[in-house]
Amino acid sequence: MTIEAGQSLTGQPTSARQAGARRPLGELGRAALGRAGRAALLATGRPPVPDALEPLVRVHREHHPQADLGLLARAYRLAEASHRGQKRKSGEPYITHPLAVTMILAQLGAGTTTLVASLLHDTVEDTELTLEQVGEGFGPEVAYLVDGVTKLEKVDFGAAAEAETFRKMLVATGDDVRVMVVKLADRLHNMRTIRHMKPASQVRIAKVTRDVLIPLAERLGIQVLKAELEDIVFATLHPEEHARTRALMAGHEGEPDALLEPFARQLARQLAETGVTAEVTVRPRHCVSLHRVLLKRAAAPGPDGRPQGPQPADFGRLLVVVEENADCYAVLGELHTCWTPLPGEFKDFVAAPKFNLYQSLHTAVALGGGEVVEVLVRTRRMHAVAETGVVALGDPEPAGAVQDADELDRTDPARPGWLSRLLEWQQETPDPDAFWSALTADLAGDREITVVTEDGETLQLRAGATCVDAAYLLGEETGHRCIGARVNGRLTALSTVLQDGDLLAVLTETAPTPAGPAGSAPAGAGAPAAEPSGPAPEWLAHARTPAARLAIERWLADHPARLPVVRTGPSSGQPAPAAQRRPERRPAPVAVAGHPGAPVRLARCCTPVPPDEVAGYPIRGGAVAVHRTGCPAGERMREAGRAELEVRWQPQGAPAAGHRATLRAEALNRPRLLADLTAAISAEGVGIVSAEVEPPQELRVRHTYTVELPEPAVLPALMRAMLRVSGVYDVSRPHAPEGGGARDPGGNGDDQPAPGVRPSWGIHGRSAAFTGHRSPGGTRGPEG
């Protein structure tokens, strides 16, 4: 029955016709009956609403029986008066658009405040009405929602208007998620009427909807809205494929269902016999969902090796709606008992809801004929949230309000975690183009994963995220100092893609040690870095989240690339450092017993340095090759029959090119490792003759340096300085003896090694990030 607008009547007769004698009901005309019905309704005291709102009111009262219809009526009258005379591209009066958007929201079950804001959502943008007037007439809550969806003017923002408008909406959504709900309903109606736009505009709008609005609808859990948007975008951007898919759907709908409906009836009988109250229905797939299934079928060859065609079970799934959470698992038990479940198809989103609050049990069973049917099981509450997402949770509660909730209900009406993270990184992106690119990239992932750190912290990451993303999620400083990661107990590369449920430890380099009094460095410190080595440009290829990418790009912009400096001697025209100056004439490094004046060559394979124990072997030309005792090359010469000559180090003796030593550093591969190692070597006043870096293997890398020592006594301090570099866990001298028996290079005069030095082999240890754990090289450090 139509309720016309007008003043409320008191029920008293206002005309002679109304006050006249009552006639029998059959004698009353149609007009009189209409007037009598209106008078009866108005006599109840309920405020009248315009005729255009009648369908909207009926739908709204199904969800909110006590809704304030007077508020809706006032909002409609103001919107209709403000938009009067305006037309849409279709030629319809403009007021039809806010009415249609509001009807969409009413069907979703949105509250009265949201519907009022929807009726007024274009008034501030397209009419003379101001936001202050909206606030005065309907309150600050409605004004905030209207302001949130109001577009920014191109006159003020130019080409950046669209990106900045979405930024503004997202920020407003962070305080009230209903802003984005209204925007999604607005876009849905615009997509329904997109045929009236120019072809170029259709493509542009459809692409923005695909890249931004549909992912936002997915994250807010509004599946009914998302599905329709997907189908319209599919028809706009891929009309031919859409037409083929629709033809398949129409052909299937025209034939009797010989698979899903009989199975639904059979399952319903089985559940009734076991005493489980459930509603079993066939849930048809929408166009895009069916198209995705068909693509998978075409990509997977059948038993005959040819691409598979559509199967009857591809056109829909079974939906089982029960009353209690425990009933979900009872239904699952009956399904897996009476039919054969497919391994790997079971997913429990009841115990672990998806990031958009979705809860259901997913499984697939094989029927007698070999057909596979997918089944969804959920409660009524879960079904409401699965269909309408955050709208089903109701309007935000006032601060301090306490809601009664089912203890087993895992839905969280609080602000979604993905939205909080999005709001964090958008503040660091002032450039509209960079913001738009980062937004579309962040929304590209359609699901999230959960990773647990070894400290027990839970990290929510988008699917496809790597260890780099996890490091920066723990904090920007942690990301900058990251040098490696351990996933499920094993060292792994930073580019490793994380999986749901992984156990993660982010390994970081040692934080810089603060300077002592008067800025002096701590005792024993070589040259601690003032800042972390930072990320490498290659990390950008592994970063999947905008927060990580923006932090890396900001670091690289603030720290221009610094190439490692390998010192090979004093530069031309510059005097050598004091530590590197040597007398022009010095005696031979070693004296050979019985061969005075014989030329001596220090072997390059083991690079002996005083006071290493050494042995000499005659070679061509009457020269003597000097090897460290136990060097494999020297042992082979002795086994080949060459006489072992007694040699001893000469005091103040040195080879013409100075004492050279070969050092091998085992480390975790990380950016700027070469630069930091060469800087540590140079800081000790040691020149580098050559450097070799082997390809990384399982995150570990080996650096080999041949250095020129100003004095042999510098060697132990140099090895300790290299070990202090972050990520280095072992420094050794290659081709050294496996056991003891060699004097240490520190020259302390006995057979015991210098403190912290392993005899004749090297220094072993770890950076602080590995304290208490087995080093990758298999050795234990000083703490072990």
Side-chain angles (χ1 to χ4, degrees):
M1 179 177 295
T2 301
I3 304 174
E4 296 179 349
Q7 295 181 348
S8 300
L9 301 179
T10 61
Q12 299 299 325
T14 57
S15 66
R17 185 171 183 178
Q18 289 175 325
R22 300 181 60 185
R23 292 184 291 176
L25 185 61
E27 298 179 9
L28 291 176
R30 180 173 299 177
L33 283 172
R35 286 193 297 270
R38 288 196 297 273
L41 286 175
L42 294 175
T44 62
R46 181 180 298 171
V49 296
D51 293 348
L53 284 184
E54 270 198 39
L56 177 63
V57 167
R58 285 197 298 268
V59 174
H60 187 44
R61 280 201 174 276
E62 292 177 4
H63 299 277
H64 304 276
Q66 305 301 321
D68 185 354
L69 299 184
L71 194 63
L72 279 175
R74 285 200 300 116
Y76 170 76
R77 292 191 185 98
L78 180 59
E80 193 279 331
S82 300
H83 290 295
R84 191 172 297 160
Q86 295 179 347
K87 299 286 185 179
R88 304 198 78 218
K89 299 237 180 241
S90 61
E92 298 174 316
Y94 196 89
I95 191 61
T96 58
H97 171 65
L99 270 176
V101 173
T102 308
M103 175 60 79
I104 293 172
L105 293 170
Q107 292 169 338
L108 293 175
T112 305
T113 302
T114 307
L115 301 191
V116 171
S118 175
L119 287 169
L120 301 171
H121 79 274
D122 274 340
T123 54
V124 175
E125 180 181 331
D126 295 333
T127 73
E128 298 298 325
L129 194 68
T130 65
L131 194 62
E132 290 74 16
Q133 291 172 321
V134 173
E136 291 174 0
F138 299 92
E141 198 173 3
V142 172
Y144 185 85
L145 297 179
V146 172
D147 181 46
V149 296
T150 299
K151 297 178 184 177
L152 299 175
E153 294 291 342
K154 287 188 176 181
V155 175
D156 299 326
F157 290 88
E162 185 173 40
E164 292 300 330
T165 295
F166 272 101
R167 188 202 298 268
K168 172 173 170 277
M169 290 180 188
L170 288 169
V171 173
T173 302
D175 292 328
D176 195 328
V177 76
R178 292 176 294 179
V179 172
M180 191 54 64
V181 174
V182 174
K183 176 59 182 178
L184 290 170
D186 173 58
R187 179 54 60 94
L188 176 57
H189 183 250
N190 284 331
M191 293 300 292
R192 286 175 177 176
T193 58
I194 196 172
R195 63 186 181 278
H196 299 293
M197 304 290 292
K198 297 178 181 178
S201 298
Q202 293 184 32
V203 172
R204 179 183 60 81
I205 295 172
K207 286 183 177 180
V208 173
T209 304
R210 177 196 62 192
D211 296 339
V212 179
L213 274 304
I214 289 177
L216 286 173
E218 166 75 14
R219 279 158 172 71
L220 295 178
I222 313 176
Q223 294 297 325
V224 291
L225 194 151
K226 168 182 173 280
E228 187 174 353
L229 282 175
E230 282 184 329
D231 286 350
I232 300 175
V233 168
F234 185 37
T236 304
L237 299 180
H238 308 282
E240 295 181 359
E241 295 181 29
H242 177 267
R244 285 196 296 268
T245 307
R246 284 298 307 168
L248 283 173
M249 295 176 67
H252 176 75
E253 292 168 359
E255 299 176 357
D257 189 348
L259 178 65
L260 296 179
E261 290 185 2
F263 178 55
R265 291 191 294 267
Q266 185 180 1
L267 177 59
R269 288 194 300 267
Q270 181 67 30
L271 295 177
E273 292 174 2
T274 58
V276 178
T277 303
E279 179 182 342
V280 184
T281 57
V282 176
R283 186 177 179 85
R285 293 184 182 273
H286 63 100
C287 191
V288 170
S289 178
L290 177 60
H291 180 69
R292 291 176 181 145
V293 173
L294 296 178
L295 290 178
K296 292 181 181 179
R297 288 284 187 191
D304 57 355
R306 298 180 179 179
Q308 301 181 62
Q311 304 297 320
D314 294 340
F315 291 89
R317 296 179 289 186
L318 256 61
L319 174 63
V320 183
V321 179
V322 296
E323 298 297 330
E324 304 293 338
N325 287 41
D327 293 339
C328 294
Y329 297 97
V331 172
L332 184 69
E334 291 299 320
L335 277 167
H336 289 186
T337 301
C338 301
W339 292 274
T340 303
L342 266 66
E345 293 295 327
F346 170 65
K347 297 176 183 177
D348 187 350
F349 296 118
V350 173
K354 297 177 71 174
F355 66 94
N356 59 359
L357 310 181
Y358 175 86
Q359 289 182 287
S360 282
L361 295 180
H362 288 208
T363 189
V365 295
L367 306 186
E371 299 89 349
V372 176
V373 177
E374 297 182 41
V375 183
L376 313 178
V377 186
R378 60 180 70 140
T379 65
R380 297 188 184 279
R381 168 66 173 170
M382 294 175 191
H383 182 59
V385 175
E387 294 291 287
T388 60
V390 295
V391 181
L393 302 178
D395 291 345
E397 293 291 327
V402 179
Q403 288 182 311
D404 295 331
D406 183 359
E407 183 179 353
L408 297 178
D409 187 0
R410 304 298 181 90
T411 56
D412 182 8
R415 186 171 297 106
W418 63 266
L419 180 58
S420 300
R421 293 193 297 274
L422 189 151
L423 293 176
E424 288 175 3
W425 65 253
Q426 70 84 22
Q427 296 175 356
E428 305 294 332
T429 317
D431 180 63
D433 292 335
F435 165 75
W436 189 253
S437 300
L439 176 64
T440 54
D442 188 48
L443 295 176
D446 60 352
R447 66 184 185 91
E448 288 193 351
I449 61 172
T450 301
V451 176
V452 182
T453 68
E454 292 185 357
D455 295 332
E457 185 175 356
T458 300
L459 305 180
Q460 296 290 337
L461 292 157
R462 56 172 291 186
T466 65
C467 297
V468 172
D469 300 304
Y472 279 95
L473 185 58
L474 290 170
E476 190 167 311
E477 188 67 18
T478 301
H480 290 339
R481 295 189 181 278
C482 178
I483 58 174
R486 187 168 53 243
V487 178
N488 299 325
R490 298 185 62 182
L491 286 173
T492 185
L494 290 175
S495 59
T496 300
V497 176
L498 298 170
Q499 304 297 324
D500 197 26
D502 278 346
L503 182 65
L504 172 71
V506 175
L507 310 177
T508 58
E509 63 178 320
T510 308
T513 305
S520 60
E531 58 183 359
S533 57
E538 293 78 12
W539 287 19
L540 290 173
H542 311 319
R544 301 289 185 269
T545 57
R549 292 186 61 85
L550 292 171
I552 295 170
E553 290 172 351
R554 188 162 51 248
W555 169 276
L556 295 176
D558 294 340
H559 301 77
R562 291 171 290 181
L563 298 177
V565 178
V566 180
R567 182 181 300 170
T568 59
S571 59
S572 59
Q574 297 293 331
Q580 291 185 334
R581 295 180 190 144
R582 297 183 302 275
E584 295 182 1
R585 295 181 180 180
R586 305 181 79 174
V590 297
V592 183
H595 295 76
V600 174
R601 297 181 183 177
L602 300 180
R604 295 182 180 179
C605 56
C606 56
T607 57
V609 174
D612 293 337
E613 290 191 356
V614 291
Y617 301 93
I619 57 176
R620 294 179 181 178
V624 176
V626 178
H627 291 261
R628 296 167 65 186
T629 301
C631 173
E635 292 294 330
R636 286 193 296 270
M637 295 175 71
R638 183 175 59 81
E639 293 172 359
R642 301 203 181 189
E644 181 176 339
L645 305 177
E646 180 183 353
V647 297
R648 66 179 184 276
W649 294 105
Q650 291 271 61
Q652 304 299 322
H659 282 289
R660 293 186 178 184
T662 299
L663 301 178
R664 177 176 293 160
E666 305 278 352
L668 289 174
N669 190 30
R670 65 170 178 85
R672 297 187 54 78
L673 177 62
L674 176 63
D676 291 345
L677 274 171
T678 54
I681 295 172
S682 298
E684 297 296 323
V686 176
I688 300 175
V689 177
S690 66
E692 178 184 358
V693 180
E694 299 180 13
Q697 294 184 356
E698 296 183 355
L699 187 65
R700 297 187 288 271
V701 67
R702 174 180 292 174
H703 288 216
T704 304
Y705 298 92
T706 298
V707 297
E708 184 177 331
L709 303 174
E711 296 293 339
V714 174
L715 184 57
L718 172 62
M719 296 174 74
R720 293 192 186 97
M722 294 174 65
L723 188 64
R724 281 194 294 269
V725 173
S726 295
V728 177
Y729 58 84
D730 189 10
V731 177
S732 62
R733 296 176 63 190
H735 300 302
E738 292 294 330
R743 298 170 66 90
D744 71 277
N748 57 356
D750 56 24
D751 291 336
Q752 299 299 321
V757 182
R758 188 173 177 177
S760 300
W761 173 245
I763 301 176
H764 300 256
R766 298 176 303 277
S767 65
F770 292 93
T771 302
H773 297 284
R774 193 74 169 173
S775 68
T779 61
R780 297 292 291 183
E783 299 84 2

